[in-house]
Amino acid sequence: IQQFTIAEKNSFLVNISNNEELNNYLQQKGIVYPVLNLNQNLSDIRNSIVNPLFKTTNNSLQKFVNKLHKIYSKSFKIAKKITKRIYRSKTNKILNKKNTIKPKLNGVIKAFCWHSYKLLFACALEDNSIRIYNLPNETWFPVTLIHEFQTDIKCMAWNPISINGLAIGCKNGILLWNISTCPGLMKQKINSNSPQIIREAWATFLTTQQNKYVTNLSWAPSGLFLAAAYKDDASILIWDIAFERHTVLKRIPSNITCLSWSPKGNHIFTAHKSNEFCIWETEFWSCEVYNSNNSIITSSSWASNDNMLVTLENSNSIYSIGVSQNTTNEKLNKLQNSSIVIADKKIIFRNIECDSSGSRIVVIFDSIGQTKEESKFGNVALFSMTNSKLLFKGILKVPQHFGGVEIVKQSGHFDAGSLFAFCWNSGKISFLPMYFSEIDSNKL
């Protein structure tokens, strides 16, 4: 009988295989979040779309542009060049259905990020569109964000102090969306059958001539600065959002694999392909360089006490990097009980995500020689951590048709414990609430 892991409760994973087990869990006031399928057609819940090329004003110039768009429907690039010159503005209006350019949906999730303090998330699909979901209401926000500069999306990040600021890492730079004027985004459900409403959104584009393909984004806790890493570039760009200008930081002449601002804002962590990592302090912007055990750091995640957890290339262990403002003894330490063994298969950790409390850790791993029957476990390992000691809790069990997991992200806004979202290569998104026991809750 196939089982499905739906939660952690009282320090044990809840695996169900029938309705009776599900009802028992619900009677204990457990929450079951929906499994979202991005392969389905979302046009029935989308009543508007952000388009950077046109405005919905009724002046004669707009009418001319609309006519031009109809005439050159087969050669839309011509109309794009003309309207780009006419409306070179940061403010873009959302069109109604009549003027909407609908992108092709294929369900492949390229990037995912939770809102900083709401149970909302944004996901980017292969068509370079971005959709926003309200988890408590279980509704998609009926606006899809697209932009002519929003191509080859690699990463996204919500501004930590803004209810409406979303940064998108694209091919030629960073797109900053401001969606504050969209009614109902942070409130109750939106009736998709209601009359069409003109909504507003702003898009600011941050770019340089030298830097292409944004690979990593990380906000300062103040929300005033945004750190960015780029493909084939060893530099970090620190963007001052208010003035739209940047400062270049560079210490190691090697490409960046990981970039993250510390929770307290006093450090920036970077990992490089040269088997090294850097700890930048953000008061005087000095930097210390350390060797990462002659291996490339493939993923990283901050714990609550300014400890960085990392995984290494071709390794099945979790390592900790202690970061202190008063000492300079940062080094890589292997955590005990971090290795796992499954049917004598070789396990390689690929990605790590730690919750904001530092109590729960999720690791995506690859199993060398894994069969189709074994793939139903989803290749996700779950750990708990107390005083830097790990306890292996088990393997996430999911239906086989979910496929392989590509992205895991934790929400920083779940009062009952931790909440993780998993993006699967089948186009599905699933959620795992982890309710802490009384013993675990004492450390929060």
Side-chain angles (χ1 to χ4, degrees):
I1 300 177
Q2 196 172 71
Q3 291 185 318
F4 187 16
T5 306
I6 60 172
E8 178 204 336
K9 196 170 181 64
N10 298 326
S11 296
F12 293 96
L13 295 180
V14 179
N15 299 314
I16 63 171
S17 57
N18 53 56
N19 290 333
E20 182 179 355
E21 294 174 349
L22 176 60
N23 291 332
N24 291 335
Y25 169 74
L26 294 176
Q27 289 176 2
Q28 300 176 19
K29 298 182 179 180
I31 299 176
V32 177
Y33 290 108
V35 175
L36 306 178
N37 187 1
L38 273 297
N39 274 318
Q40 68 183 5
N41 188 0
L42 299 180
S43 60
D44 56 335
I45 61 173
R46 184 179 70 241
N47 61 16
S48 56
I49 195 165
V50 173
N51 190 306
L53 303 180
F54 299 99
K55 295 184 177 182
T56 55
T57 55
N58 293 321
N59 56 40
S60 58
L61 183 58
Q62 177 63 40
K63 293 180 181 179
F64 167 75
V65 173
N66 288 338
K67 290 182 180 180
L68 189 63
H69 174 238
K70 293 180 181 179
I71 295 174
Y72 294 99
S73 58
K74 293 184 179 181
S75 303
F76 185 64
K77 290 183 179 180
I78 299 176
K80 181 190 292 187
K81 292 180 180 179
I82 296 175
T83 54
K84 180 179 177 180
R85 295 178 182 177
I86 296 175
Y87 294 112
R88 193 66 173 179
S89 172
K90 295 179 183 178
T91 302
N92 301 289
K93 299 290 184 178
I94 297 177
L95 295 182
N96 54 28
K97 286 185 177 179
K98 183 177 180 180
N99 292 328
T100 292
I101 303 172
K102 295 183 179 179
K104 182 180 178 181
L105 303 178
N106 54 21
V108 178
I109 304 168
K110 300 176 63 176
F112 180 102
C113 67
W114 285 100
H115 191 274
S116 303
Y117 50 90
K118 295 282 185 178
L119 283 181
L120 300 164
F121 65 80
C123 58
L125 300 190
E126 194 69 27
D127 58 10
N128 294 309
S129 66
I130 295 175
R131 294 176 176 85
I132 301 172
Y133 189 81
N134 186 320
L135 187 58
N137 293 336
E138 298 184 6
T139 55
W140 290 98
F141 181 54
V143 166
T144 300
L145 302 178
I146 63 171
H147 195 285
E148 59 178 325
F149 298 152
Q150 192 169 281
T151 58
D152 293 335
I153 299 172
K154 299 297 182 183
C155 51
M156 301 189 298
W158 286 95
N159 190 313
I161 65 168
S162 172
I163 201 169
N164 47 55
L166 180 61
I168 314 296
C170 308
K171 176 180 178 179
N172 294 311
I174 304 168
L175 201 64
L176 296 178
W177 283 106
N178 186 318
I179 50 180
S180 60
T181 56
C182 294
L185 175 60
M186 309 300 169
K187 300 180 182 179
Q188 67 277 6
K189 291 185 179 181
I190 301 174
N191 184 4
S192 60
N193 297 323
S194 62
Q196 295 176 358
I197 303 173
I198 301 301
R199 300 177 173 89
E200 296 180 351
W202 285 262
T204 302
F205 195 62
L206 305 178
T207 186
T208 68
Q209 294 182 350
Q210 297 80 14
N211 305 96
K212 303 290 184 181
Y213 290 100
V214 181
T215 57
N216 297 86
L217 290 174
S218 183
W219 284 96
S222 65
L224 301 177
F225 301 97
L226 179 65
Y230 297 79
K231 182 181 179 181
D232 300 327
D233 195 330
S235 303
I236 309 170
L237 268 59
I238 306 297
W239 286 94
D240 186 325
I241 301 303
F243 294 95
E244 299 181 15
R245 61 189 182 191
H246 67 274
T247 301
V248 178
L249 302 178
K250 185 175 181 180
R251 180 66 185 273
I252 298 177
S254 176
N255 296 343
I256 296 173
T257 60
C258 300
L259 167 68
S260 184
W261 218 301
S262 69
K264 296 181 180 179
N266 53 347
H267 292 99
I268 291 179
F269 172 85
T270 60
H272 299 258
K273 289 187 177 180
S274 58
N275 302 339
E276 296 171 300
F277 64 92
C278 293
I279 304 293
W280 293 84
E281 60 85 20
T282 58
E283 183 177 3
F284 301 104
W285 295 105
S286 61
C287 175
E288 297 291 339
V289 180
Y290 303 91
N291 184 276
S292 53
N293 289 4
N294 296 318
S295 298
I296 298 175
I297 294 177
T298 56
S299 66
S300 62
S301 182
W302 287 100
S304 59
N305 58 346
D306 272 0
N307 280 339
M308 174 63 78
L309 302 180
V310 301
T311 59
L312 302 181
E313 189 177 36
N314 297 323
S315 172
N316 67 338
S317 299
I318 300 173
Y319 294 82
S320 173
I321 300 173
V323 179
S324 173
Q325 197 170 17
N326 299 321
T327 62
T328 56
N329 61 347
E330 293 91 351
K331 59 182 180 180
L332 215 59
N333 296 310
K334 181 179 177 180
L335 296 181
Q336 295 182 355
N337 303 321
S338 63
S339 302
I340 60 175
V341 177
I342 300 179
D344 296 327
K345 297 291 191 300
K346 182 180 179 181
I347 303 299
I348 296 176
F349 288 173
R350 175 158 48 96
N351 197 4
I352 187 171
E353 182 76 0
C354 182
D355 76 340
S356 57
S357 73
S359 299
R360 296 297 184 269
I361 300 168
V362 173
V363 177
I364 301 176
F365 65 89
D366 295 324
S367 178
I368 306 302
Q370 188 179 45
T371 65
K372 290 184 178 180
E373 179 64 20
E374 295 167 336
S375 66
K376 69 181 180 182
F377 293 111
N379 287 355
V380 177
L382 307 174
F383 296 85
S384 64
M385 184 170 68
T386 304
N387 298 325
S388 298
K389 295 182 179 179
L390 286 179
L391 174 64
F392 176 59
K393 304 190 75 67
I395 302 296
L396 183 71
K397 297 181 180 180
V398 298
Q400 188 171 353
H401 62 83
F402 274 36
V405 64
E406 298 291 338
I407 302 172
V408 55
K409 294 292 181 181
Q410 67 92 21
S411 169
H413 184 75
F414 190 71
D415 297 334
S418 301
L419 176 64
F420 289 88
F422 300 91
C423 301
W424 306 84
N425 58 17
S426 60
K428 291 180 172 58
I429 301 176
S430 64
F431 305 92
L432 181 70
M434 307 182 80
Y435 302 96
F436 298 153
S437 66
E438 293 182 0
I439 296 177
D440 292 326
S441 299
N442 291 333
K443 69 188 291 294
L444 295 181

